[in-house]
Amino acid sequence: MKKKIFILTSSRADYNPLQNIINIFSKSKKFETFIVVTGQHLDFNSGNTIKEITKNHNLKVIKIKYFIKFQTELNISKTKSIIADKFSRMLQRYKPSLLILLGDRYELLPCAMSCIQFKIPIAHIHGGEVTQGSLDNIYRNVISKIANIHFVSHNDYKKNLIKLGENPKRIFNFGAPSIENIKFNNVKKKLRKNLIKNKTFLVTYHPNTIYPKETKKEITQLLKALSFFKDFNFILSQPNLDINSHEILKVINKYKKNKNILIRKSLGKSSYFAKLRTVNGMIGNSSSIILESSSFKLPSLNIGNRQKGRILTKNILSCEFKAEEIINNIKKISDKKFIKNINNLKNPFYKKDTSRNIYNKISSISLDSIFHEKLL
């Protein structure tokens, strides 16, 4: 009899790197796989990305629906209790043998906590990382303490989990799944030279979850800086559904008339990577800048403290959310000398066959006893 596996996704941030893993599990003769979908995927204003999931996978999809008009402290806290209630009922009904989670979204925590009472083990991907400027840091660490199996993207992150008290024998560094299929240095030099003349940058800004009142100021400073570059083009994706994300949308809408700022609700994985192959750089406070920019040898600007504590490659500069600083650093990452200096860059989070190795490791573990190992 096949063991049931739940793979949970709440936004494009965790779905994109989970795609290969889902595909491998879907073909397994050992496991019956279910995709549990919640959060931003079910929000129509965020691109309604549930359609992408159902299109990509011929699997049973279980939805955890809830309505939240504005992302406030109270609404987010209430949402967690709703998710915990609905997910617990799913655990009671389906009795899965394992839950697979990736990352640090707040929607993941109530699901992880629900698994404790049902004694269902958890495999967590991307634990041990540090983001001092975001509440994600807390969510990630709490999930790591609940989880039983860990798949990290770097040995430094493995060391962090060991410091948290996790069993080294249950921590595996197979790299970051989002970048395993990227073909390195596959952008023709001629194309890159043409783009230098007509610069286009991919921009992502997520809310300040530590100091929510700063969110409006930060996005305003960012857009003010972008508006300075009349000859540059910017593709701006909408933010995660976090506290005060509605404030970001209000500010962004004021810039819709700017011909050189293109606003997109969501970019699918293939479309997103296609953009990364043709743009001149990345700007913002997204983890994608940290994990993926070096694979494409893209000059990048990390703004603010959201990603503070992560490992940064030499293609990434950092600055504060001040228009003048942002302008000066965009000029720096646009400089030909800076671009030339990162031509031989390698991604420290890349390892071959990440998703396959994750599947193989889970297949080799006795899931019936691993939860009790953690209690001993």
Side-chain angles (χ1 to χ4, degrees):
M1 186 176 179
K2 290 184 177 181
K3 290 186 179 296
K4 296 176 182 176
I5 300 290
F6 273 12
I7 302 179
L8 175 66
T9 174
S10 67
S11 73
R12 65 189 185 221
D14 58 30
Y15 173 64
N16 287 344
L18 280 171
Q19 280 192 58
N20 287 342
I21 296 171
I22 294 172
N23 286 334
I24 292 171
F25 270 92
S26 69
K27 298 172 184 177
S28 172
K29 295 180 179 180
K30 185 174 182 178
F31 300 111
E32 181 182 5
T33 305
F34 299 80
I35 308 175
V36 181
V37 178
T38 190
Q40 197 165 16
H41 287 306
L42 305 178
D43 181 66
F44 181 80
N45 293 321
S46 297
N48 200 28
T49 47
I50 178 66
K51 291 183 178 180
E52 182 183 352
I53 295 173
T54 54
K55 179 183 177 181
N56 291 341
H57 311 286
N58 186 25
L59 290 171
K60 171 75 173 178
V61 174
I62 307 171
K63 301 176 185 178
I64 303 179
K65 295 181 180 180
Y66 60 86
F67 175 75
I68 179 169
K69 188 173 183 180
F70 296 116
Q71 300 286 329
T72 65
E73 285 99 337
L74 178 59
N75 286 342
I76 290 173
S77 291
K78 289 166 66 176
T79 295
K80 291 175 191 172
S81 63
I82 295 170
I83 293 173
D85 175 63
K86 292 190 174 184
F87 189 70
S88 294
R89 295 175 188 273
M90 290 178 188
L91 297 180
Q92 177 69 32
R93 177 182 175 184
Y94 290 95
K95 296 179 175 58
S97 298
L98 181 74
L99 171 66
I100 299 176
L101 303 173
L102 185 147
D104 42 44
R105 290 288 304 167
Y106 69 78
E107 296 96 338
L108 308 186
L109 182 56
C111 297
M113 293 179 66
S114 298
C115 286
I116 299 173
Q117 197 62 42
F118 287 89
K119 296 182 283 296
I120 294 169
I122 296 171
H124 184 218
I125 303 168
H126 277 297
E129 300 177 15
V130 180
T131 50
Q132 295 174 10
S134 171
L135 286 179
D136 294 348
N137 203 51
I138 299 173
Y139 291 129
R140 187 188 312 106
N141 285 341
V142 174
I143 292 170
S144 290
K145 290 306 301 178
I146 298 173
N148 310 82
I149 312 167
H150 306 274
F151 298 107
V152 299
S153 63
H154 195 279
N155 278 334
D156 284 0
Y157 299 148
K158 178 176 181 176
K159 292 175 184 177
N160 289 344
L161 285 179
I162 293 172
K163 289 178 183 177
L164 282 177
E166 294 305 294
N167 185 350
K169 294 180 180 180
R170 294 300 183 197
I171 308 172
F172 309 96
N173 177 15
F174 293 146
S178 65
I179 60 176
E180 64 181 327
N181 290 331
I182 297 173
K183 294 180 180 179
F184 297 105
N185 203 23
N186 64 343
V187 180
K188 293 181 180 180
K189 291 183 179 179
K190 289 183 180 179
L191 175 61
R192 187 67 63 156
K193 285 181 179 179
N194 290 333
L195 287 170
I196 289 172
K197 298 177 182 178
N198 184 25
K199 293 191 180 297
T200 301
F201 291 86
L202 198 60
V203 184
T204 307
Y205 171 77
H206 297 306
N208 188 327
T209 54
I210 299 292
Y211 302 106
K213 292 181 180 179
E214 295 295 312
T215 291
K216 188 174 181 180
K217 295 179 185 177
E218 291 179 354
I219 186 62
T220 301
Q221 287 293 302
L222 173 58
L223 288 167
K224 182 180 178 181
L226 300 185
S227 299
F228 173 84
F229 296 92
K230 305 300 182 184
D231 298 328
F232 287 14
N233 297 308
F234 301 99
I235 302 171
L236 178 62
S237 59
Q238 287 190 187
N240 286 336
L241 286 182
D242 273 315
I243 185 168
N244 286 357
S245 56
H246 58 281
E247 293 288 347
I248 300 174
L249 298 178
K250 286 180 183 178
V251 177
I252 286 175
N253 287 334
K254 294 178 182 179
Y255 287 80
K256 279 187 175 181
K257 295 181 181 179
N258 291 43
K259 293 182 180 180
N260 65 328
I261 299 178
L262 183 65
I263 300 168
R264 288 285 179 262
K265 287 184 178 181
S266 177
L267 295 170
K269 182 177 181 179
S270 58
S271 177
Y272 182 71
F273 280 176
K275 289 284 189 297
L276 291 181
R277 288 188 175 93
T278 56
V279 297
N280 294 89
M282 301 175 74
I283 299 169
N285 62 357
S286 169
S287 59
S288 179
I289 290 175
I290 314 302
L291 287 173
E292 294 153 1
S293 66
S294 58
S295 287
F296 295 90
K297 296 172 174 54
L298 283 174
S300 300
L301 178 58
N302 170 51
I303 312 174
N305 293 323
R306 185 180 181 91
Q307 304 300 335
K308 186 177 180 181
R310 285 193 193 269
I311 297 167
L312 301 183
T313 44
K314 67 177 183 179
N315 64 307
I316 304 172
L317 298 183
S318 298
C319 73
E320 298 300 319
F321 274 103
K322 295 179 181 178
E324 186 176 350
E325 284 192 35
I326 297 170
I327 290 169
N328 289 336
N329 279 278
I330 291 176
K331 290 179 180 178
K332 288 180 182 178
I333 65 172
S334 303
D335 184 77
K336 290 182 179 180
K337 289 183 179 179
F338 185 87
I339 296 170
K340 186 178 180 180
N341 192 41
I342 62 174
N343 276 341
N344 298 318
L345 187 66
K346 293 184 179 179
N347 193 322
F349 309 108
Y350 169 78
K351 284 184 180 292
K352 188 178 179 181
D353 296 328
T354 302
S355 297
R356 173 59 62 180
N357 287 332
I358 288 174
Y359 171 82
N360 289 341
K361 180 54 64 177
I362 289 174
S363 298
S364 70
I365 294 173
S366 174
L367 298 179
D368 295 331
S369 60
I370 190 169
F371 182 91
H372 300 282
E373 281 181 16
K374 180 142 188 166
L375 297 179
L376 297 175

